[in-house]
Amino acid sequence: MIKQKNNMKILGIETSCDETAISVIEIIEKKTDEFEIIVLANELLSQIDIHKKYGGVFPTLAKREHAKNLPPLLTKALLKAKKTESEFCGYTKKNTVSEIPFDNSEIESLLSREPGMFSALKKEIAKIEKPALDAIVVTRGPGLEPALWTGINFAKAISTIWKIPLLAVNHMEGHIFVSLLKKRNFAEQNIKNKGEGPEIFDLKIPSLPIVSLLVSGGHTELILSNEVFHYQILGKTRDDAAGEAFDKVARIIGLPYPGGPEISKLAEKWRASGKKGLGIVFPQPMVNSKNFDFSFSGLKTSVLYFFKKLKNPGEEEKMEIAAAFEDATTDVLISKTKKAVKEKGARAIIVGGGVVANKILRQKLMFLSEKQKIPLFIPEIPHSTDNALMIAIAGGIRLIRFGNAVHDENFGAEGNLKMA
Ligand code: KG4
Ligand code: ZN
């Protein structure tokens, strides 16, 4: 059972793709829809270097890496959280020594599909005390199912060992909530610190209706919320997601995975060079369509044909292609977001997902927000790509709002989990 209260300590676990992440937060409801979030630990192990060789994320490899990473990452996150609490927050919630039911076949059977994890977890658990957590929150989907299952089985195991309630959340909701964080200055932090200490954020749910643009490796969606936690999909991609298009175009022009940051870097160099080049302009698919849907597959094919036609394409041509592709993609995203904001009378724009790390997209969104005189909530760059902070926050806000009404023990991974 999860007791409903307005101050919770939460552990978040994220394994939907190629980042293994665990975070520990304290979330405090200050007023209705206003929260304070103290980040006690935010640990992440990226598998990018492993998947690079394959030009994309390889699901079974991702699963194996998550299984290997999770037990030591748990110890690291919990020790960090404990240290942060005692050094900077002026209090330590009393942890109790775990009574590990390791003769309990329940844990072994929960982890039967994660080779090696049972013995690794057993070793790690012996190093740490039972944490004083109110809940464990884990990503249920969307994402790669084998990767999601590893996080879920691990979460179920530690929830059973420590008898701590477990909640599953939607990864995309995590991307939305993490965008609402506003970092506090150290001067405003009412904890004793010496220029150091945990990051503290304020989070205020904006005025409704809200239009959210979610752009990641697997998703491109425009969502309308007339109520908090209610999502109506206005439009989505009909083929490739925006991040997927960045990754595929990068591969076409010979750049490594993940393609988004690589394309961005080349494009930036091109703009800084001030050169005119070939004057490449790629089509902006569905930019004038009457709906809110997207399509990036045709744009990727245009890049492919253009690139193939070039004789001995050099660094300059690649740079120009990267910039022209980035322009076309970001222009379509902005144009559809603007249309949604106007037609739906939105009072706030939230953007989330890995592609929001893109600087040009960020600039264009800021410009749109200024022109439309509507607040924009955009994540800090390190919070744009997958992390566990976003999972802990989405779960924390749900728990404070609904308590055990959202509690569900018999859940599994849902690779195609929808927002609505
Ligand atoms: O949200 P995320 O970390 O994982 C998913 O849930 O998919 O998003 C990853 C995607 C990748 O496709 C990656 O290429 C893209 O985000 N990405 C970027 C940038 N950084 C990451 N795309 C464009 N520009 C960037 N700077
Ligand atoms: Zn994501």
Side-chain angles (χ1 to χ4, degrees), residues 222 282-296 299 327-340 343:
L222 268 169
F282 288 122
Q284 297 179 3
M286 299 187 72
V287 74
N288 294 318
S289 70
K290 293 224 158 18
N291 51 38
F292 297 106
D293 282 349
F294 301 91
S295 163
F296 293 106
L299 170 57
D327 279 340
T329 311
T330 52
D331 279 348
V332 178
L333 293 172
I334 294 296
S335 146
K336 294 270 163 149
T337 307
K338 182 175 170 186
K339 182 171 139 80
E343 279 187 28

Side-chain angles (χ1 to χ4, degrees), residues 75-379:
T75 307
K76 197 172 171 202
L78 287 175
L79 292 179
K80 173 90 186 290
K82 196 178 158 197
K83 188 165 181 278
T84 310
E85 270 186 329
S86 60
E87 282 180 11
F88 298 105
C89 300
Y91 65 88
T92 327
K93 277 202 179 169
K94 205 164 164 33
N95 293 339
T96 52
V97 176
S98 324
E99 281 172 37
I100 314 156
F102 265 129
D103 46 347
N104 188 340
S105 56
E106 197 183 345
I107 311 296
E108 206 163 357
S109 94
L110 272 172
L111 297 177
S112 60
R113 288 170 177 268
E114 321 299 334
M117 204 194 245
F118 178 70
S119 56
L121 180 59
K122 197 169 163 176
K123 247 197 265 159
E124 295 299 329
I125 291 272
K127 296 182 195 164
I128 42 183
E129 297 168 334
K130 174 183 171 176
L133 295 166
D134 293 288
I136 295 166
V137 182
V138 65
T139 307
R140 161 191 260 161
L144 304 169
E145 280 204 5
L148 289 163
W149 269 116
T150 306
I152 291 171
N153 287 333
F154 179 77
K156 285 184 174 180
I158 58 172
S159 152
T160 309
I161 293 169
W162 285 327
K163 299 186 178 53
I164 295 171
L166 175 62
L167 171 74
V169 295
N170 186 311
H171 177 88
M172 302 313 286
E173 191 169 75
H175 275 305
I176 290 184
F177 278 105
V178 84
S179 302
L180 300 177
L181 293 181
K182 290 271 174 282
K183 194 166 178 170
R184 266 199 211 164
N185 299 323
F186 276 122
E188 293 165 2
Q189 295 188 9
N190 57 357
I191 52 163
K192 43 176 188 166
N193 68 68
K194 303 173 189 84
E196 295 175 56
E199 285 185 304
I200 302 189
F201 296 93
D202 290 303
L203 188 158
K204 187 172 185 287
I205 297 185
S207 304
L208 299 157
I210 300 168
V211 161
S212 301
L213 171 71
L214 293 180
V215 270
S216 70
H219 288 80
T220 303
E221 280 167 2
L222 268 169
I223 296 166
L224 175 68
S225 296
N226 284 316
E227 274 177 66
V228 189
F229 292 113
H230 283 78
Y231 307 101
Q232 182 196 336
I233 310 281
L234 297 175
K236 58 181 193 291
T237 183
R238 295 188 174 179
D239 38 61
D240 293 348
E244 192 180 353
F246 268 93
D247 295 336
K248 287 180 174 170
V249 165
R251 202 183 311 178
I252 292 170
I253 63 175
L255 300 172
Y257 172 85
E262 300 288 334
I263 296 263
S264 256
K265 265 187 258 163
L266 270 200
E268 203 172 328
K269 271 197 209 161
W270 178 251
R271 292 188 190 101
S273 78
K275 290 185 178 156
K276 288 238 166 6
L278 305 167
I280 308 170
V281 179
F282 288 122
Q284 297 179 3
M286 299 187 72
V287 74
N288 294 318
S289 70
K290 293 224 158 18
N291 51 38
F292 297 106
D293 282 349
F294 301 91
S295 163
F296 293 106
S297 158
L299 170 57
K300 169 201 68 195
T301 311
S302 304
V303 175
L304 178 68
Y305 287 156
F306 187 88
F307 190 67
K308 275 190 168 168
K309 266 197 242 153
L310 291 174
K311 291 184 192 80
N312 297 324
E315 203 52 22
E316 281 204 356
E317 282 90 355
K318 288 184 184 178
M319 276 162 37
E320 190 182 352
I321 290 173
F325 166 76
E326 189 175 60
D327 279 340
T329 311
T330 52
D331 279 348
V332 178
L333 293 172
I334 294 296
S335 146
K336 294 270 163 149
T337 307
K338 182 175 170 186
K339 182 171 139 80
V341 163
K342 282 186 155 176
E343 279 187 28
K344 304 296 171 187
R347 294 174 69 196
I349 306 172
I350 301 181
V351 286
V355 181
V356 182
N358 185 281
K359 280 193 202 149
I360 296 296
L361 180 60
R362 295 175 85 85
Q363 281 169 13
K364 290 180 181 174
L365 283 162
M366 284 172 204
F367 186 70
L368 173 71
S369 145
E370 263 170 42
K371 278 264 176 208
Q372 300 297 316
K373 297 188 176 48
I374 177 171
L376 170 71
F377 295 85
I378 192 162

Side-chain angles (χ1 to χ4, degrees), residues 14 16-17 171-172 175 216-217 353-354 384-387 390:
E14 156 63 33
S16 68
C17 192
H171 177 88
M172 302 313 286
H175 275 305
S216 70
S384 306
T385 44
D386 294 348
N387 59 82
M390 64 190 227

Side-chain angles (χ1 to χ4, degrees), residues 9-10 41 44 52 63 124 205 214 348 352 358 371 393 416:
K9 194 166 137 187
I10 292 187
L44 185 137
K52 238 180 194 155
K63 174 190 159 71
E124 295 299 329
I205 297 185
L214 293 180
N358 185 281
K371 278 264 176 208
I393 293 172
N416 293 318

